[in-house]
Amino acid sequence: MKVVDDEIAGGLYTFYVAAEGKPYLLRVDHEEPPYKRITKFSGFNDRLAIQPPAAAEVLDLSTPPSKSP
């Protein structure tokens, strides 16, 4: 699937999706002349060991910090 980026002259996204089995994203190409970026995705069936961050690494933004002069 190709999508034109209206905010960038000549900008174009091309999305590649698996054609067999359950559809999933394989690759995204972004062209913004004179550059072309390619992002590839893999490891869809790999298990991930995801752990929440330690409490000391979490920021509490429920109350914004006060401004200092």
Side-chain angles (χ1 to χ4, degrees):
M1 175 174 77
K2 294 185 181 230
V3 178
V4 174
D5 187 340
D6 291 334
E7 294 185 20
I8 300 170
L12 177 69
Y13 287 92
T14 305
F15 297 91
Y16 297 85
V17 178
E20 295 181 9
K22 185 176 181 179
Y24 56 91
L25 189 59
L26 294 172
R27 176 175 144 182
V28 177
D29 293 359
H30 180 249
E31 295 180 47
E32 179 182 326
Y35 307 104
K36 180 174 183 175
R37 291 183 289 272
I38 298 173
T39 304
K40 295 181 180 180
F41 302 90
S42 63
F44 293 99
N45 293 320
D46 295 348
R47 301 194 104 205
L48 297 175
I50 299 174
Q51 301 294 323
E57 297 175 349
V58 177
L59 296 175
D60 179 6
L61 298 177
S62 61
T63 305
S66 60
K67 291 184 179 182
S68 52

